[in-house]
Amino acid sequence: MAAAQRSPALRSFAKHWLKPLTLIALLIPGLWLIWLWVQVFTFNPTALGFDPVARTHHFLGDTALRVLIVSLMVTPFRDLTKWAPIIQVRRRIGLAAFFYALLHVTAYLAFDLCGSLPGLWEDVVERIYITLGMAAFVLLIPLAVTSNNAMIRRMGALAWRRLHTLVYPIAVLAVFHYGFMVKGNQMGPWVHGAVIALLLGYRAWRGISRPDSSFRTRLRQVTGTA
Amino acid sequence: MLIKSRKSWHLTENDVTPEHLYLNRRAIMAAGGAAAVSLTAGACSAEEAQTGAGRGAMPADGNLTARETDYRPPDGDLTSLDAVTGYNNFYEFGTSKTDPARYADRMTTDPWSIEVTGHAERTGRFGIDDLIDFNALEERIYRLRCVEAWSMVIPWIGVPLGPILESFRPTSDARYVAFETYFNREEMRIGPFPVLDWPYVEGLRMDEAMNPLTILAVGLYDRVLPNQNGAPIRLVVPWKYGFKSIKSIVRISFVSEQPPTSWNRSAPNEYGFYSNVNPNVDHPRWSQASERVIGAGPFARRDTDMFNGYADEVASMYAGMDLAENY
C-alpha cells in the first residue's frame, strides 16, 4: 500500500478526519439506544420491544464485545494494509469498549439488582457467566485508566504494552460470559468466539514467525540478548 | 422458608365445590347419557359418541366462547395481546423473542392429530375435536412465569387436562405423562446451532397432570392460539416455569418412568424435571426472587411467589420433598 500511503487525500484524511469520524462511529450505538429509550417514554412504548430492560442489557453487552473485537482488529489491519495511521484510533476504540461495558454493568446493577452491592457479590459468586463477565470488566479498568498519553509516558511504552496485552484474556472472558449466558447451543457466542480466536491466533502466529515482532523484541529485552 | 399469605379469593376446599367441578360432573353425566343412548341404538362407537351431540368442534372463524372462571391472579393486569403474541420463546423458530411471531406462521396446524401411546387402554391417533369439547371451554387467567425471570398474565382458553387423560383410561403403570412438540425442519428454522435436541419434549408426574390447574389450552383472548403461542393445542401448568408448558403437542405418552425433558437434557444442573416456580431456589443463570412484569412499564418488577402464587392448590403434591434437591 505504499501508493496509498503517498496519496495526499489519504494523508489528509488520516490527519484531519480519522479520529473524529471514529469517535462518531463509536458513539452511534449509544446514541441509538438513547433514542430508543426516548421513544419508550414518549410516543412508542415498545420501541425496545416488550422487555426493554433485557433488550438494553443485550444491546450494551453485544456492543461492548463487538467494539472490543474491532479494537483487536486494528493491529492486523495495520499489518495487512501497511496503513500506519489507523493505530491512532486503537486506543479510543478500546476506551469505547470499556464505556459500553461500564454502561452494561451499570444497567445490570441498577435495573436487575436495584443498586444492591451484596446482590452483585452474590451473583458474582453464584453465577458463572456473571463471574466471567465481571472478571472481564474489572480487568478492563486498568486498561481504561492508562489509556492516555500521560500514563503511557509515566509507565513507559514497554510496561504499557505489556499491561495492555490483558485485552486478550479479557476478550476470551467476555465471549465465555456470552456463551454461558445464552440458553442451549446458540450461534452468537460461537461466531464471536471464532472471530476472537482468529484475532488472537494471528497474534500468536505473528509473535512466533516474525523476527521484528514485539514479542521477539520483548523476549530479547527480557532475556537480555541482543 | 415459605410464608403463606392466604389471599382473599382463596376459599378453602371445604367452602365450596368449585363451579368447574360440578359443571364437569354434569358434563360427564351428560356425555355418559349420550353414550348410553347411542350404545342402545347400536349406532356408533364410544369414540364417535364423544364427538356426538352436545360437543363442539373448533370453530372455523377462530372465535372461541368460553365460560368465565374464578381462576385469576389476585394482582396484576392482563398482559396486552400484543405482548402475549409478540414476545415468545419458541426456539424452533429462532431464539429472538420476536422470531416466533415472525416465522411461526409457516407451521401447518390443520390438519392436526395427537398420538396417544403407552400405558392406557384407549390409545391411537386423535384430532383436536376428539380431545377438546369446544362447548366446554373455560377461561383460565394464569400468570405465566418464565425461567428467564419475567412474567405475563394471560387469559387462556382451554379445558382441564385431567378428564381428558382419564378418558384414555391410563393403567396403574402410567406414573408419568410425556408430551412432544410438533417438529418439521422444513417449516421451522433449525440452523447449524440447533439450541436443543428436537423435537421438544416435556413431562409431568401423573398427579401434576391431573391437578385441576393443569389445562390443555386451545386459545387465548377468546381466539384460537396464534402459532407462536403453541397452536393448535398446548399445555399450561401455571405453577411451573413456562418451558414446562409445552406447545403444539403431537404426542401424549403414558409412561412408568420419569420421562426425559428437553431443557433438562441440555443442562441438567440448570433445569430439573419439576421446575416449580420457587423464589428461594436460584437458577444458576437467574435469581428467581423477583421477575420483570412484561408490558407493565419498562421497569415494572414484582416479587416472585412460591409456586407462582398457586401454592394452596399444588404445595401438597410436594409435601416431604426437598424442593432445592428436586428443582
Side-chain angles (χ1 to χ4, degrees):
Chain A
M1 306 286 158
Q5 228 162 353
R6 277 193 299 269
S7 149
L10 195 59
R11 260 211 314 274
S12 158
F13 174 81
K15 198 171 170 198
H16 302 292
W17 294 102
L18 182 60
K19 289 170 90 169
L21 283 178
T22 305
L23 183 65
I24 289 166
L26 291 167
L27 285 173
I28 286 172
L31 294 172
W32 175 243
L33 185 64
I34 290 168
W35 167 234
L36 290 173
W37 272 104
V38 168
Q39 287 185 48
V40 166
F41 286 111
T42 53
F43 61 94
N44 183 9
T46 59
L48 275 157
F50 291 105
D51 195 349
V53 165
R55 183 73 185 280
T56 300
H57 293 331
H58 296 155
F59 183 92
L60 289 171
D62 286 350
T63 306
L65 180 60
R66 287 170 193 169
V67 172
L68 190 73
I69 288 174
V70 171
S71 79
L72 288 172
M73 288 174 168
V74 172
T75 304
F77 179 86
R78 190 261 331 256
D79 293 353
L80 248 66
T81 62
K82 312 285 183 220
W83 193 52
I86 192 72
I87 293 299
Q88 297 175 76
V89 295
R90 188 173 59 180
R91 224 166 56 200
R92 64 182 55 199
I93 297 173
L95 266 173
F98 168 76
F99 280 115
Y100 282 112
L102 178 66
L103 288 172
H104 182 52
V105 170
T106 307
Y108 148 72
L109 192 60
F111 299 151
D112 288 10
L113 299 171
C114 302
S116 159
L117 290 176
L120 173 68
W121 180 245
E122 200 177 299
D123 263 5
V124 168
V125 178
E126 279 185 16
R127 286 175 241 293
I128 181 69
Y129 81 100
I130 304 264
T131 316
L132 295 165
M134 280 308 291
F137 175 69
V138 167
L139 290 177
L140 270 175
I141 296 172
L143 305 198
V145 170
T146 57
S147 283
N148 52 71
N149 291 335
M151 282 307 284
I152 297 174
R153 270 196 300 275
R154 238 174 86 178
M155 293 176 69
L158 181 66
W160 191 87
R161 267 156 68 174
R162 191 179 294 154
L163 176 68
H164 282 250
T165 54
L166 268 179
V167 73
Y168 307 140
I170 287 168
V172 173
L173 286 167
V175 84
F176 272 89
H177 159 70
Y178 181 22
F180 277 99
M181 185 271 298
V182 301
K183 288 159 71 189
N185 184 13
Q186 296 192 31
M187 192 163 73
W190 289 106
V191 170
H192 288 77
V195 174
I196 288 170
L198 197 73
L199 291 168
L200 299 195
Y202 168 78
R203 274 137 177 115
W205 168 80
R206 185 189 58 173
I208 295 160
S209 68
R210 271 176 43 175
D212 62 335
S213 73
S214 60
F215 176 79
R216 296 250 171 150
T217 311
R218 202 176 317 145
L219 198 68
R220 276 196 297 275
Q221 277 160 343
V222 169
T223 56
T225 52
Chain B
M1 187 175 66
L2 166 61
I3 299 165
K4 250 195 204 177
S5 57
R6 188 167 289 281
K7 319 231 159 58
S8 58
W9 61 283
H10 272 145
L11 299 167
T12 66
E13 276 187 58
N14 328 339
D15 288 334
V16 287
T17 301
E19 187 187 31
H20 69 277
L21 278 186
Y22 71 73
L23 283 177
N24 267 355
R25 280 177 206 140
R26 279 182 198 168
I28 290 163
M29 283 164 71
V37 169
S38 60
L39 281 175
T40 320
C44 54
S45 72
E47 275 78 4
E48 282 165 343
Q50 297 249 340
T51 56
R55 279 183 67 97
M58 185 182 270
D61 65 1
N63 290 320
L64 301 177
T65 311
R67 187 166 50 77
E68 278 183 34
T69 64
D70 294 339
Y71 291 101
R72 181 175 190 132
D75 69 293
D77 296 328
L78 290 185
T79 306
S80 74
L81 178 64
D82 283 349
V84 170
T85 59
Y87 186 83
N88 307 96
N89 281 329
F90 200 157
Y91 280 7
E92 290 90 326
F93 295 101
T95 51
S96 150
K97 291 286 186 293
T98 51
D99 282 341
R102 203 172 300 156
Y103 300 108
D105 272 357
R106 302 173 182 179
M107 180 168 63
T108 307
T109 58
D110 186 20
W112 192 271
S113 68
I114 298 178
E115 195 182 4
V116 178
T117 62
H119 300 296
E121 291 174 26
R122 184 169 162 252
T123 56
R125 208 165 258 289
F126 299 88
I128 301 289
D129 294 344
D130 303 327
L131 261 56
I132 306 285
D133 178 0
F134 280 78
N135 287 340
L137 296 177
E138 299 176 23
E139 182 180 62
R140 299 283 187 107
I141 301 175
Y142 285 156
R143 176 166 282 117
L144 174 86
R145 172 59 158 78
C146 180
V147 72
E148 295 166 352
W150 52 263
S151 70
M152 295 182 177
V153 178
I154 303 174
W156 299 107
I157 307 291
V159 297
L161 174 65
I164 294 175
L165 294 186
E166 292 283 13
S167 77
F168 299 117
R169 295 188 293 279
T171 67
S172 57
D173 286 335
R175 294 177 53 233
Y176 294 88
V177 195
F179 302 88
E180 187 180 308
T181 295
Y182 177 73
F183 183 67
N184 183 338
R185 225 166 253 286
E186 251 109 80
E187 295 175 4
M188 292 169 161
R189 297 174 71 237
I190 311 297
F193 296 90
V195 187
L196 289 172
D197 283 338
W198 309 111
Y200 192 78
V201 290
E202 258 304 337
L204 294 174
R205 217 169 57 187
M206 205 59 177
D207 58 336
E208 298 176 322
M210 302 301 287
N211 188 289
L213 280 174
T214 308
I215 60 166
L216 280 178
V218 291
L220 53 83
Y221 272 109
D222 295 326
R223 295 276 304 160
V224 292
L225 286 173
N227 282 8
Q228 63 267 34
N229 294 88
I233 184 165
R234 67 170 292 169
L235 188 69
V236 180
V237 202
W239 71 94
K240 292 175 179 288
Y241 293 118
F243 65 86
K244 292 292 291 181
S245 294
I246 187 170
K247 290 171 168 172
S248 306
I249 299 168
V250 291
R251 191 190 307 273
I252 298 175
S253 310
F254 295 96
V255 295
S256 55
E257 301 292 328
Q258 184 175 299
T261 58
S262 286
W263 281 107
N264 177 255
R265 270 196 313 215
S266 155
N269 60 322
E270 296 182 23
Y271 309 95
F273 175 79
Y274 288 98
S275 292
N276 294 318
V277 175
N278 188 341
N280 310 313
V281 175
D282 277 351
H283 182 278
R285 287 162 205 270
W286 306 279
S287 161
Q288 298 296 10
S290 66
E291 63 210 35
R292 301 188 300 283
V293 182
I294 300 300
F299 306 116
R301 287 194 88 93
R302 65 187 297 282
D303 287 340
T304 294
D305 298 315
M306 187 65 197
F307 294 113
N308 204 22
Y310 301 96
D312 288 351
E313 289 93 333
V314 303
S316 61
M317 290 192 292
Y318 309 102
M321 275 174 66
D322 182 346
L323 295 177
E325 199 70 27
N326 298 283
Y327 55 94

